[in-house]
Amino acid sequence: MDHIDWIHKQQVSIIDVARPDWIYADIGSSRGEILTVLMQFMKYGHVFEPDPDNYSFLKAAIDSVETDNPVLQLNDLAITNFTGKTKLYLKDPNSPNAPSRLESNLLGHDMANIPIDHSIDVDCMTLDDYFGEKDVNFIKVDVEGAEWEVFEGATKLLERDNIVWQVEFHLSKDWHKIKSLYDLGYNLYDLDFNELPKDCDRQYLCYMSKNSDVYNRNEGGDLVVEVVGDDDG
């Protein structure tokens, strides 16, 4: 399945999960491909994108949407396992190590373990510090291999029983850590909402929930014209 097919399948599955009164977090929003659906089918969002180019793109797109009430908070923050400053590694077109396609990340290498030379300093925060006691019902995580650092900074949120997570798991070498989520009472589901066996191989993209009713079947929910995002993000 190619990049565009994954995005479409992810978008459609969110329609079947979403509740109109939900508050969501979009961790690693990139150019807003998934944010489009979150905005359309949930009440309010907290959006995180540390890449300056992507952040500027999102801000311009969101500012162009006319609304009487704010529908999201856009944050130029990286989400990780501490609060402060961190390095964000970016594709540098002048670098001989720059892959042809690369999303920015906190790892310092791409998914093939090729080093990324170019970095900038960005603000970062944990999810626990950001949300505190605030409500959140749905958290989408796409952070190019740093998902476990997100979890490490979200120990209090992971204890809650009412959050549905949609997570991209990028690295097979980290998959053994999934036991820590099972120990907290989570079950994993594929994008067709089939429960995954606990001994399954790494899933690239799946849902996590402590509740068996993760599948809402949003009858009549249709994906309409995109508000933000493009096919290249």
Side-chain angles (χ1 to χ4, degrees):
M1 186 178 296
D2 66 22
H3 179 67
I4 303 304
D5 289 338
W6 266 116
I7 289 175
H8 180 71
K9 189 171 180 64
Q10 191 176 0
Q11 290 171 329
V12 170
S13 73
I14 288 172
I15 296 172
D16 285 329
V17 170
R19 272 74 162 177
D21 60 341
W22 271 8
I23 296 169
Y24 64 86
D26 185 359
I27 315 299
S29 189
S30 188
R31 294 278 173 128
E33 299 89 347
I34 304 306
L35 178 58
T36 296
V37 186
L38 299 174
M39 290 175 65
Q40 186 176 327
F41 288 94
M42 299 188 201
K43 179 181 178 180
Y44 188 83
H46 301 270
V47 181
F48 304 87
E49 179 48 58
D51 184 307
D53 289 341
N54 288 343
Y55 176 84
S56 296
F57 178 93
L58 289 171
K59 189 175 188 308
I62 292 165
D63 287 348
S64 71
V65 178
E66 294 185 6
T67 178
D68 293 332
N69 299 302
V71 294
L72 61 82
Q73 172 67 47
L74 179 61
N75 303 281
D76 54 346
L77 284 170
I79 297 298
T80 185
N81 53 7
F82 68 97
T83 294
K85 291 276 190 180
T86 192
K87 289 193 178 300
L88 179 71
Y89 293 86
L90 306 166
K91 178 180 177 179
D92 181 355
N94 298 316
S95 169
N97 286 332
S100 59
R101 180 182 179 86
L102 174 69
E103 299 288 346
S104 58
N105 68 47
L106 303 182
L107 300 180
H109 59 79
D110 69 3
M111 297 306 100
N113 211 35
I114 299 173
I116 304 169
D117 298 330
H118 182 55
S119 69
I120 59 173
D121 291 331
V122 297
D123 293 322
C124 64
M125 186 173 283
T126 70
L127 282 180
D128 282 346
D129 283 348
Y130 182 88
F131 280 103
E133 300 301 318
K134 296 195 291 284
D135 288 337
V136 61
N137 308 101
F138 182 93
I139 300 176
K140 166 253 176 184
V141 180
D142 179 6
V143 289
E144 302 300 313
E147 49 273 7
W148 291 101
E149 285 81 354
V150 172
F151 291 143
E152 289 168 7
T155 56
K156 294 178 181 178
L157 285 183
L158 285 166
E159 291 175 355
R160 298 189 192 180
D161 293 332
N162 63 337
I163 299 177
V164 175
W165 299 70
Q166 187 195 69
V167 184
E168 290 191 11
F169 292 97
H170 288 83
L171 299 173
S172 295
K173 71 179 181 65
D174 290 334
W175 186 244
H176 67 281
K177 299 178 183 179
I178 205 71
K179 183 180 182 300
S180 64
L181 300 177
Y182 285 129
D183 289 345
L184 289 171
Y186 284 94
N187 292 311
L188 270 60
Y189 303 85
D190 64 21
L191 295 191
D192 294 316
F193 304 100
N194 301 304
E195 185 173 345
L196 298 168
K198 293 184 178 180
D199 60 352
C200 68
D201 293 333
R202 177 181 67 89
Q203 302 294 301
Y204 172 64
L205 181 58
C206 61
Y207 286 98
M208 294 167 31
S209 176
K210 295 183 180 181
N211 301 313
S212 59
D213 61 346
V214 59
Y215 184 30
N216 186 45
R217 187 176 288 278
N218 226 327
E219 298 288 358
D222 295 313
L223 182 63
V224 299
V225 175
E226 290 188 353
V227 177
V228 296
D230 60 21
D231 288 346
D232 296 324

